[in-house]
Amino acid sequence: MTKLFKLKLIALAISSTLITACGDAETNIVEKDPIEVPDDGHDHGDGGDHGDEYTIDSLGRLAILAGDSNEANFFDLDDNELLDTFTLTNDSNTLSSSPDFRYAVIASRAQDYLGFIDGGLWREDHGAHLHDYKQSPEFSSYELTSGSRPTHLVKHDGKLAVFYDGDAASGTTASVKVLTDNDITNATATLPGISYDINMHGVAEPRGEHLLATIRRDDAESTSNAKILPDQVGVYHFHDGEYELEQTLELTCPDLHGAAQNHDYVAFGCSDGVLLAHQHDDEYHAEKVINIDVVGDLRIGTIYGHEGSETFIGVASGHGGPAVIVSINPAKAEMEEFEWQLADGASAVSYSFSANGEQFLVLDSLGFLNVLEAHAHDDHIHWELAGQVDITQEDVTTMPEGMKFSITVAQNGQFAYVADPIAQHVVQVHLEDLEIEGDLELTFPPAAITWLGIAEKEHEH
């Protein structure tokens, strides 16, 4: 195996590049006076181009959880300024973003808790123009505490589906709640969703008026080896404020775990392959892509998809063992192993598509950000390594116990942000140049990181 060459950067230049955002968003109720964006108070109903009078150029903001305390820290990426620090309700938390990237979502599974912190950057569609707002981060009083064991949080096209596993020991059942950034802003009391009559470790994918969610059958009928894992998928349709089961896909998906979607398909990981659901009007057709030999006894339990990518990325792994990365082409119902795999001694700690879906990122335990790109050869799509960025100058064996490198991707340009708990900083990586262009120094080891701000959105696919 070719020895990997590590490029060590002696000095890091902070980029002054500003990204102009464009796109649409649902109208929010603003409880505070917005700042920094002028508005003349007149209704420009002519539909004309009013330029950038109402828009904000900003790299966005970072929410970072501290690894040595129960604090969430918010930084402005334009000047690396610490905007605010919030003490969280619980000690054990996960961090993600809301569907339109305005809010940081704080989840504590063991405490049945979801909380939200307003990052302070958002956009409203005023019809004749897009209107951006900027304010200080603020802890929201809105909380979700009625579900049991919030586990899989999936966002797509402006909606967030929270799957609550339930708990057999306490007799609580599984459920799903679906919300938007508007719901968080308006503190919506009753959210649409699903109530099951049994607990399960499941997942739900929001897709327009539909919600594709897992179904756990009776243990005697289930094809899953671990009976807490579902083996079927139901299609729920939103009617009169509720989701109603309209279709159950006939194909089973044993030990179902992991799901993703792109523009045309929804994919679910099974022990024997990947279940694909393809929408035709209001019905879904299902087919199975059987595991290839390299997957062996492993299960594809994690799947990544993107609206701009024709293929899904699947990760097959066991507990603590090596991972096999595969691509799934739903149009051809094919699966193939990546020609590139992790270096000896390295394990993947995080995966992500880039904002436009043209690159797939694999952050490994040795401190390399591996950037892959899709190429078409002989009517087949192959993912190839475009390059690597060494994001740490530290000895990776000194990683604090229980911690790891983490990554988040900006949704308004070609930047990824990688948190290094050893050096206690975050580096800004330009994904086209494959170079480090910024460095955000911290006073704590970062445990989790997510980007917040005004996202660019694709108008057509």
Side-chain angles (χ1 to χ4, degrees):
M1 177 174 295
T2 303
K3 184 177 181 180
L4 298 174
F5 176 72
K6 291 192 173 185
L7 176 61
K8 299 293 184 181
L9 297 179
I10 300 175
L12 301 177
I14 299 178
S15 172
S16 60
T17 305
L18 298 178
I19 308 299
T20 302
C22 66
D24 300 318
E26 297 176 348
T27 301
N28 295 326
I29 293 176
V30 183
E31 299 176 349
K32 301 178 68 173
D33 290 334
I35 59 175
E36 296 195 16
V37 182
D39 189 347
D40 57 14
H42 297 292
D43 181 14
H44 300 276
D46 56 4
D49 182 7
H50 302 291
D52 58 0
E53 179 182 2
Y54 302 99
T55 59
I56 294 174
D57 287 338
S58 175
L59 290 174
R61 293 172 173 178
L62 283 185
I64 307 175
L65 296 188
D68 55 1
S69 67
N70 62 334
E71 291 182 342
N73 301 267
F74 284 71
F75 291 86
D76 189 325
L77 288 171
D78 295 321
D79 56 14
N80 288 349
E81 178 187 358
L82 175 63
L83 298 175
D84 211 337
T85 299
F86 301 90
T87 300
L88 303 180
T89 303
N90 302 295
D91 293 332
S92 178
N93 303 284
T94 62
L95 175 67
S96 57
S97 60
S98 63
D100 286 325
F101 301 96
R102 175 176 175 178
Y103 295 89
V105 181
I106 310 295
S108 181
R109 185 179 187 273
Q111 280 71 39
D112 302 334
Y113 171 86
L114 252 71
F116 309 92
I117 304 176
D118 190 344
L121 278 173
W122 76 96
R123 167 169 290 166
E124 295 178 359
D125 187 349
H126 288 185
H129 62 267
L130 300 173
H131 200 144
D132 296 349
Y133 296 92
K134 184 177 183 179
Q135 67 182 29
S136 300
E138 183 178 22
F139 217 127
S140 172
S141 59
Y142 187 56
E143 297 178 337
L144 299 181
T145 58
S146 59
S148 173
R149 303 296 190 266
T151 305
H152 282 162
L153 280 65
V154 175
K155 58 179 180 282
H156 183 262
D157 197 24
K159 295 180 180 178
L160 172 66
V162 182
F163 198 99
Y164 294 85
D165 284 357
D167 180 49
S170 62
T172 55
T173 59
S175 62
V176 181
K177 292 181 180 178
V178 180
L179 67 156
T180 66
D181 279 37
N182 253 3
D183 290 317
I184 302 170
T185 302
N186 301 334
T188 302
T190 302
L191 298 170
I194 303 171
S195 295
Y196 295 96
D197 58 6
I198 193 173
N199 67 300
M200 79 176 93
H201 185 55
V203 66
E205 287 278 344
R207 189 175 180 85
E209 296 180 350
H210 296 105
L211 183 67
L212 278 72
T214 52
I215 296 175
R216 178 185 174 183
R217 297 188 293 170
D218 184 87
D219 289 356
E221 298 177 328
S222 175
T223 58
S224 295
N225 291 316
K227 300 305 180 183
I228 195 173
L229 295 176
D231 74 339
Q232 281 193 313
V233 175
V235 179
Y236 296 79
H237 198 178
F238 190 68
H239 290 292
D240 299 326
E242 297 180 355
Y243 283 99
E244 299 176 358
L245 180 62
E246 285 195 346
Q247 180 186 359
T248 301
L249 302 184
E250 294 183 1
L251 285 179
T252 59
C253 182
D255 298 296
L256 191 160
H257 192 275
Q261 58 182 301
N262 63 12
H263 188 254
D264 297 312
Y265 295 86
V266 186
F268 298 87
C270 322
S271 58
D272 58 356
V274 173
L275 177 69
L276 298 173
H278 187 205
Q279 184 175 359
H280 297 267
D281 296 324
D282 285 338
E283 289 190 350
Y284 284 78
H285 298 174
E287 61 180 324
K288 181 77 68 68
V289 180
I290 301 302
N291 284 337
I292 55 179
D293 290 342
V294 70
V295 175
D297 295 330
L298 301 176
R299 177 191 65 177
I300 297 176
T302 306
I303 302 178
Y304 297 88
H306 191 284
E307 288 284 290
S309 175
E310 296 181 19
T311 59
F312 292 99
I313 308 299
V315 180
S317 62
H319 293 290
V324 176
I325 306 175
V326 300
S327 64
I328 301 103
N329 187 330
K332 295 182 176 294
E334 294 177 345
M335 179 188 302
E336 72 171 14
E337 182 184 14
F338 270 32
E339 294 180 3
W340 171 89
Q341 296 289 330
L342 287 165
D344 291 341
S347 59
V349 296
S350 186
Y351 303 88
S352 177
F353 273 99
S354 61
N356 59 16
E358 295 178 358
Q359 297 159 311
F360 188 70
L361 315 179
V362 182
L363 179 62
D364 68 37
S365 59
L366 298 182
F368 282 101
L369 179 61
N370 304 277
V371 181
L372 297 105
E373 295 179 349
H375 298 276
H377 297 292
D378 299 327
D379 201 29
H380 290 271
I381 299 174
H382 305 277
W383 287 89
E384 300 173 359
L385 184 68
Q388 297 174 313
V389 181
D390 185 1
I391 59 89
T392 188
Q393 301 180 40
E394 306 297 325
D395 180 357
V396 296
T397 64
T398 63
M399 177 68 70
E401 184 177 358
M403 302 192 71
K404 61 183 181 180
F405 301 113
S406 56
I407 186 174
T408 188
V409 174
Q411 298 299 312
N412 61 356
Q414 286 295 297
F415 286 109
Y417 296 88
V418 185
D420 181 352
I422 308 173
Q424 296 191 9
H425 70 173
V426 176
V427 295
Q428 179 195 57
V429 180
H430 195 284
L431 296 176
E432 291 182 348
D433 299 337
L434 297 180
E435 294 181 354
I436 294 176
E437 295 191 358
D439 183 9
L440 171 61
E441 295 293 337
L442 306 174
T443 59
F444 56 87
I449 182 174
T450 196
W451 181 90
L452 302 173
I454 300 170
E456 291 181 348
K457 293 188 177 181
E458 296 291 337
H459 299 290
E460 294 182 356
H461 299 280

